[in-house]
Amino acid sequence: MGIVGIDFGTSTTLVAVWKQGKPQLLRDSDGLELTPSVVAYLPGDRVQVGARAALRRGIDPENTLYSVKRIAGRRWFDQEVVDFRESTPMKLERGGDGVPRFITRKGQLLPVDVIAHQLSVVRHYAGFPAGELKNAVLCVPPSYGPEQVLSLCNAARKAGFNRVGTIDEPYAAVVPYLERLSGERNVAVYDLGGGTFDLAVLRVRGLSHRVIASGGDPYLGGDDVDHALANLIANRVLQEHRWDLRGERSIFARLLVAAEKAKLALSLQPSVTVRLDIIDPTLAGKTLEIGREAFDRAIHELVQRSFALCDEVLLEAGLPVQAIDDVILAGGSTYLPAVRAAVESYFGKRPLYDLAPDRTVAQGACISAALQAGEMHGGARVVPA
């Protein structure tokens, strides 16, 4: 019977299994540890999940669903759903029960249906335990209320996970670092993922922990960075070529895909060249050079928004920033150099991120599942303080 930790994120999904005394990340059918949380509903009643589905965002935007976690367990007039409807090319309508539904060629789909399609693929990863699982733990954001947690759990059960528990994402991020944290520590987890930002302050002592305060912004993450960079590209194209890339839904969808690729490149190099004809064939032979300084300016307000939330959470915790002993980075968007520099400046100390911020949550969930199943330290349990 296997032990599994699942980090179902807004933009990517990771799965870790307990093997030979440690968590091991699994790869999907494309050989990726980080599977895009994207589902494409193709003609002929076919469904694609992951990287191949993500390629269809610019081809078939109304039938390619992503960032669905943002509206899991939400209702039509919730601000998260209103913002989602206004910022994506996907079609939604209000159901009679007030729950939003996606309108696709497969018909009307609830968010829980889409998430179940994403999670069902996990069971077919190479190395996934056969048969009934001994323990499966699903990560949930600290900002989630009971309805959102229930929605994710229902999706997991619909995907075939009959026994599934949950763990707060901030604590899951801390777990892989526990051996380094001696005594009682005030730990801040700065989690900037693909779709959301969360800050949590925990008091940690060994396997015991208590969340002192937390807060989240459901519209602050990598997707929003993509939009900021897409607008930077669109404004430059409008200025230089008198052509607006935001006029058509399909072109804007391709612009977002190009912006995401440019963002990843700018995490590693000082500039990137964007081919405009891939976005809009009208601009054949045209390219655009984007430098990291321009990119950093474009996302400056987004990054600063995260620290306004940090101020609120620390105030709720009753702690000055100097009382934070350790800062742990989580989420793929913390690879951005501007983010890392800003976090270090705000907290006055270098954050911990050497265990790969986009992978620690899945690994921590798996370790926690192993602890709960009695597979570590003589049957020790993770017990909230």
Side-chain angles (χ1 to χ4, degrees), residues 177-186 204-206 325-326:
Y177 289 98
L178 282 177
E179 292 185 356
R180 305 188 194 182
L181 308 180
S182 59
E184 188 171 86
R185 316 280 291 183
N186 292 325
V204 178
R205 185 179 183 87
D325 298 304
D326 306 280

Side-chain angles (χ1 to χ4, degrees), residues 313-379:
V313 173
L314 288 172
L315 183 63
E316 180 187 345
L319 295 173
V321 69
Q322 296 83 359
I324 299 299
D325 298 304
D326 306 280
V327 182
I328 293 174
L329 297 187
S333 295
T334 60
Y335 280 101
L336 297 174
V339 171
R340 291 185 172 182
V343 171
E344 184 169 351
S345 175
Y346 178 88
F347 286 99
K349 54 176 55 68
R350 184 179 181 276
L352 300 173
Y353 52 78
D354 55 296
L355 295 182
D358 52 356
R359 289 162 168 79
T360 52
V361 171
Q363 293 170 333
C366 186
I367 294 170
S368 179
L371 284 165
Q372 293 169 14
E375 294 292 324
M376 293 180 65
H377 305 304

Side-chain angles (χ1 to χ4, degrees), residues 21-60:
K22 62 181 180 181
Q24 177 179 307
L25 291 170
L26 299 183
R27 296 181 182 272
D28 63 16
S29 60
D30 294 309
L32 302 174
E33 290 179 347
L34 290 160
T35 302
S37 298
V38 183
V39 182
Y41 296 97
L42 282 63
D45 205 34
R46 292 179 298 146
V47 180
Q48 282 185 339
V49 176
R52 296 178 190 179
L55 292 174
R56 297 186 61 84
R57 282 179 54 180
I59 302 170
D60 191 12

Side-chain angles (χ1 to χ4, degrees), residues 116-189:
H117 279 140
Q118 294 170 324
L119 293 178
S120 64
V121 173
V122 165
R123 302 184 66 87
H124 301 289
Y125 286 5
F128 192 89
E132 185 178 354
L133 295 174
K134 185 175 184 180
N135 198 16
V137 171
L138 183 67
C139 302
V140 296
S143 57
Y144 263 26
E147 289 187 0
Q148 288 75 54
V149 174
L150 180 61
S151 179
L152 282 189
C153 289
N154 285 341
R157 294 187 186 100
K158 195 169 185 178
F161 293 90
N162 295 324
R163 299 176 60 183
V164 62
T166 62
I167 183 174
D168 285 338
E169 289 176 2
Y171 186 58
V174 171
V175 169
Y177 289 98
L178 282 177
E179 292 185 356
R180 305 188 194 182
L181 308 180
S182 59
E184 188 171 86
R185 316 280 291 183
N186 292 325
V187 181
V189 178

Side-chain angles (χ1 to χ4, degrees), residues 28 79 99 171 183 214 257 263 275 282 285 304 315 334 352 382:
D28 63 16
Q79 191 60 49
V99 176
Y171 186 58
S214 66
V257 173
K263 173 191 69 178
R275 281 184 55 189
T282 305
Q304 291 308 307
L315 183 63
T334 60
L352 300 173
V382 177

